[in-house]
């Protein structure tokens, strides 16, 4: 017999046309008969996947938030499957045919490989691509002013009080901290603070700001009564301290006191 491959797209892996030749030598001349047989080679089994790549990790360190990732091909048993084509469904791969290697964004991307043999049987396996954000957030600050209250108690500012639109290219800033963040009368004037911003991937950066502490609360004025004696029609100048009855300041020191009027003569008796 002789075989001819007549395969075409259809329901078989291969179509073989086998021509049989039968010869009867009992006759002279010998009699010959031929008939043609069509053989369909069928395969109903999908490719057997031996292993699929493990989770693939990579890192993005810049503001693009993408990273090049090499994703290996799955392996399969080729003894029973022929003409196997491997495709992937990743929108980030350089090609949908073959390996899912490409540039992937920060986060988790699920990739499915499909292995299809020449009979149309298919098997699938899944790969997870993880790109971690390792870029630090951008820290921006602004200077602020805080006022000590009339009670003289210390003031605590919010953790993001000096923030000025800090940002993260590939994620979200999830926490702020400022050191120092509590101010009292002993910190009057300009104070340098350090703010730390941290993103949702655990990356952080720091920057500085100036917190100006001011005392805008007026001192408490307490006055008393003073008696003075005049001699020979001579006016007397009375110092402010003579009538001060313990004036105080919640945050600082009283540096001067005055009284008006402070000159008294015979016309002021009483």
């Amino acid at each position: 017999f002789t075989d001819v491959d007549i395969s075409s797209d259809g329901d078989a892996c291969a179509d073989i046309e086998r021509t049989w030749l039968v010869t009867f030598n009992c006759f002279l001349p010998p009699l010959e008969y031929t008939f043609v047989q069509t053989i369909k080679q069928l395969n109903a089994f999908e490719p057997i996947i031996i292993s699929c790549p493990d989770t693939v990790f990579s890192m993005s360190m810049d503001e693009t938030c993408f990273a090049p990732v090499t994703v290996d091909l799955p392996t399969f048993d080729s003894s029973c499957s022929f003409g196997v084509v491997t495709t992937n469904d990743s929108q980030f791969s350089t090609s949908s045919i073959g390996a899912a290697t490409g540039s992937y964004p920060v986060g988790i991307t699920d990739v499915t490989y499909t292995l299809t043999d020449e009979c149309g049987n298919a098997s699938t396996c899944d790969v997870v691509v993880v790109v971690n954000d390792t870029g630090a957030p951008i820290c921006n600050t602004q200077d602020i002013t805080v006022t000590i209250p009339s009670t003289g108690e210390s003031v605590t500012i919010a953790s993001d009080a000096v923030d000025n639109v800090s940002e993260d290219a590939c994620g979200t800033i999830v926490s702020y901290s400022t050191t120092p963040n509590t101010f009292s009368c002993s910190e009057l004037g300009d104070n340098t603070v350090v703010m730390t911003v941290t993103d949702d991937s655990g990356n952080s950066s720091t920057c500085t700001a100036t917190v100006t502490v001011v005392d805008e609360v007026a001192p408490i004025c307490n006055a008393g009564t003073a008696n003075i004696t005049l001699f020979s029609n001579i006016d007397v100048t009375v110092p402010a301290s003579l009538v001060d009855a313990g004036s105080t300041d919640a945050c600082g020191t009283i540096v001067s006191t005055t009284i008006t009027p402070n000159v008294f003569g015979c016309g002021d008796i009483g």
Side-chain angles (χ1 to χ4, degrees), residues 79-153:
S79 62
C80 296
S81 298
F82 303 95
V84 175
V85 176
T86 301
T87 59
N88 68 81
D89 67 350
S90 173
Q91 61 178 308
F92 305 109
S93 64
T94 55
S95 174
S96 61
I97 299 177
T101 295
S103 183
Y104 285 77
V106 166
I108 299 174
T109 302
D110 294 319
V111 178
T112 298
Y113 276 119
T114 301
L115 285 70
T116 307
D117 66 17
E118 60 187 5
C119 290
N121 305 305
S123 298
T124 62
C125 73
D126 298 321
V127 184
V128 177
V129 177
V130 179
V131 177
N132 293 315
D133 171 21
T134 58
I138 299 172
C139 183
N140 295 313
T141 59
Q142 59 184 345
D143 297 337
I144 64 171
T145 299
V146 299
T147 302
I148 299 298
S150 60
T151 59
E153 296 176 344

Side-chain angles (χ1 to χ4, degrees), residues 226 228 236-243 259 261-264:
I228 60 174
V236 175
T237 300
V238 177
S241 59
L242 186 63
V243 295
I259 59 173
N262 66 338
V263 177
F264 302 92

Side-chain angles (χ1 to χ4, degrees), residues 16-74:
I16 298 173
E17 184 179 78
R18 177 167 294 178
T19 301
W20 294 88
L21 174 63
V22 179
T23 302
F24 293 94
N25 291 315
C26 297
F27 298 91
L28 290 175
L31 298 177
E32 293 183 346
Y33 297 92
T34 62
F35 67 91
V36 177
Q37 177 186 28
T38 301
I39 302 173
K40 290 183 178 290
Q41 181 182 353
L42 301 176
N43 177 15
F45 300 97
E46 65 274 2
I48 300 174
I49 296 175
I50 298 174
S51 66
C52 208
D54 294 330
T55 299
V56 183
F57 294 92
S58 188
M59 296 182 296
S60 173
M61 302 182 64
D62 58 28
E63 67 280 357
T64 66
C65 306
F66 277 78
V69 180
T70 298
V71 185
D72 294 333
L73 285 167

